[in-house]
Amino acid sequence: MGRLRDNRLGIAGWGYAGRYGFERYAYFFQRLTGLGILLYFSLHIFVTAYRAFGEQAWTRVMSGVDKPFFKLGEYMLFMAVAYHALNGLRVLFSELGLFMGKPIRPVYPYETSLKRQRPLFFIVMALAGVIIVMGGLDLIRYFRP
Amino acid sequence: MKIKVKVSRFDPDKSPERYFSEYELEVSEGMTVLDGLIWLKENADPTISFRYSCRMGVCGSCAMMINSYPHLACHTQILEITKSVLVLEPLCNHANVRDLICDFSAFFEKHRTIKPHLLREDAEKLDLTGEISQTPQELESYLQFSYCIKCGICVAACPTCATDKEYLGPQALAQAYRYTQDSRDAGGDKRIEAAAEGHGIHHCHYAGACSEACPKGVDPAFAIQLFRKQMVLRSLGLKETRPPAGEMPPMTLNPKPNIPKPPEPTIK
Amino acid sequence: MNSVRCWFLFLLAGLILFFIMAAHMATFHLSHFFGIHEPLSYDSVMARSQQALFLIFYLIGLSAAVYHGLYGFRRILMELSLGRSLEKLVTAGLCVAGSVMVLVGMAATVMAFLQ
């Protein structure tokens, strides 16, 4: 079988493969934000554990991260969480077969379950947008109290 | 109108790498990609290899990447896609055998693992002249997913298939639901076992590309999500496993007197 | 059926996190909107850490987040066609990492609660 050429797209294929709808990109960003949040979270557990060692230890650690660079990083994390949580809620509903209607007879032009759940997609994305803007306003007040 | 056609070429006897051949093609309205390929093979280059048979969207042989989108060549009109350059490549996420032809043995092997046929204990005892009853609602609940023509387009669209060699893929998983949902079937547990373990149904993340690309409107992503719902309900004990639908006696009719009787059944 | 239950638990953990993270994020990133003053100062952190409600909140949130995060991470790694032996190694490694994360987080939470 060495004569076959493997035509898999590889990891790049997660991100882009052709002119597909929003959901394929939503899936990719879900994955990306998930990995980012996990990276932060695994550090977060150890950093916040310092609160158990008294006020001095806590202020020392917190003053280390109380810088504009980290604040912007935390805002990126906040955006990622808002997206991941709301898109995740949509995927959770979809994966349990909710808000997607019933199987229909495939009559051309075909309608798929994607189209039927798309209103939910737009609602959660709009909500995520609102939350991200609110977080942005909160961040501005950090820089200009 | 004249357009440029770029065809991906691969011949393992000559080179392990693929390359593109360029051709000029006179396109008329209504001409499909497959028409174009056949014209090129007859008039420009007889060595282009591609697979086709029915040329009307039924057999599923001519699936290929048409300007980076998987579609049936016989089901796509050239002028709907492009007015300048048409790029034809073999389906991605499959193994390329030659030019536009892919190897489907792994694809069919995965299809086989989910047991794509009715499974029931009493299959041997059924009266073969009878019918198994099914209501129109029961039919509608899986009919859409039974239109699959095994063209492999969903696998080319699926992001998980881009990296995971062992993933069963949208086609096999949708068919697993199609047979499990069939009221004549009783093999749901076996199929759930085959579909849930290892590189199975949990690697679907509802990216939806398979449903979007499917040339027959089968909506594999929807079937997979419905299958998941059923798996969860079964694993939590919220859904009782029903016995498969029973057989109906053959309809009794009063035959006209001068019609001869059918021969005796050859299978006892 | 076991893998279905594990996957369902992943969804359930995600749903729990949805609500817990909403509260957690609102405390630290929308604090001006909710009138929370200096959420990161030691006094306010300890004031929260020493309430029984927050103890439960942190313990559930921590376990749910570790499970949800590492299950999702494992799913991504499994999609890389690693081969059986490497897959087993990844699973074992993530189990160990998850246990360490839960233990450290829980120890800190309980210690802060008891102070």
Side-chain angles (χ1 to χ4, degrees), chain B residues 8 34 63 93 106 116 119 165 169 203 212-213 225 229 235 241 264:
Chain B
S8 166
L34 185 62
N93 304 343
L119 285 169
K165 284 181 191 159
H203 286 285
E212 216 175 315
Q225 311 322 317
K229 180 181 176 183
S235 73
T241 42
E264 288 292 307

Side-chain angles (χ1 to χ4, degrees), chain B:
Chain B
M1 182 191 277
K2 269 213 185 315
I3 63 158
K4 198 158 79 173
V5 183
K6 287 172 83 176
V7 181
S8 166
R9 308 298 300 273
F10 170 63
D11 186 349
D13 287 338
K14 289 183 186 147
S15 157
E17 296 301 319
R18 70 169 179 154
Y19 58 96
F20 282 92
S21 295
E22 287 188 22
Y23 307 98
E24 289 252 299
L25 177 67
E26 180 68 36
V27 185
S28 55
E29 200 164 336
M31 190 179 197
T32 64
V33 174
L34 185 62
D35 293 336
L37 272 172
I38 293 171
W39 190 91
L40 287 175
K41 193 173 170 77
E42 281 177 0
N43 299 287
D45 185 351
T47 63
I48 310 172
S49 309
F50 53 96
R51 196 189 270 140
Y52 75 100
S53 98
C54 78
R55 86 224 175 305
M56 52 195 223
V58 175
C59 73
S61 304
C62 64
M64 57 184 71
M65 304 299 289
I66 301 172
N67 283 14
S68 305
Y69 196 86
H71 217 296
L72 295 178
C74 65
H75 205 266
T76 312
Q77 296 189 7
I78 296 173
L79 291 179
E80 276 186 0
I81 297 286
T82 180
K83 290 189 171 53
S84 53
V85 186
L86 184 69
V87 184
L88 303 177
E89 289 165 280
L91 282 181
C92 50
N93 304 343
H94 289 269
N96 196 186
V97 181
R98 186 150 178 185
D99 296 359
L100 299 172
I101 300 174
C102 290
D103 176 43
F104 270 57
S105 45
F107 178 82
F108 290 137
E109 194 46 55
K110 286 169 186 170
H111 182 55
R112 240 169 256 133
T113 59
I114 55 93
K115 305 185 198 315
H117 42 81
L118 295 182
L119 285 169
R120 46 194 293 160
E121 303 266 299
D122 59 354
E124 298 287 316
K125 290 177 219 141
L126 285 178
D127 176 7
L128 292 164
T129 57
E131 293 176 62
I132 302 173
S133 67
Q134 188 164 59
T135 65
Q137 287 79 20
E138 285 168 341
L139 174 71
E140 292 269 335
S141 72
Y142 72 82
L143 183 65
Q144 178 175 22
F145 313 124
S146 67
Y147 282 78
C148 174
I149 56 172
K150 287 114 200 133
C151 60
I153 280 177
C154 48
V155 171
C158 175
T160 304
C161 294
T163 49
D164 195 343
K165 284 181 191 159
E166 289 170 70
Y167 178 48
L168 286 176
Q171 187 275 335
L173 292 169
Q175 291 313 297
Y177 179 70
R178 175 252 174 273
Y179 284 98
T180 304
Q181 183 59 21
D182 195 320
S183 63
R184 298 167 295 179
D185 176 86
D189 287 334
K190 279 187 192 146
R191 253 180 237 111
I192 287 177
E193 214 179 284
E197 297 307 322
H199 294 251
I201 196 160
H202 304 310
H203 286 285
C204 169
H205 309 287
Y206 197 59
C210 53
S211 292
E212 216 175 315
C214 179
K216 300 300 278 182
V218 169
D219 210 344
F222 188 32
I224 296 173
Q225 311 322 317
L226 290 175
F227 197 20
R228 278 182 155 155
K229 180 181 176 183
Q230 202 174 97
M231 281 184 184
V232 168
L233 291 179
R234 281 197 197 201
S235 73
L236 298 178
L238 295 173
K239 191 180 169 91
E240 290 158 32
T241 42
R242 43 151 184 77
E247 60 181 319
M248 302 266 287
M251 270 205 270
T252 44
L253 295 167
N254 293 326
K256 286 184 180 168
N258 50 359
I259 292 176
K261 282 202 164 153
E264 288 292 307
T266 51
I267 304 166
K268 297 284 179 205

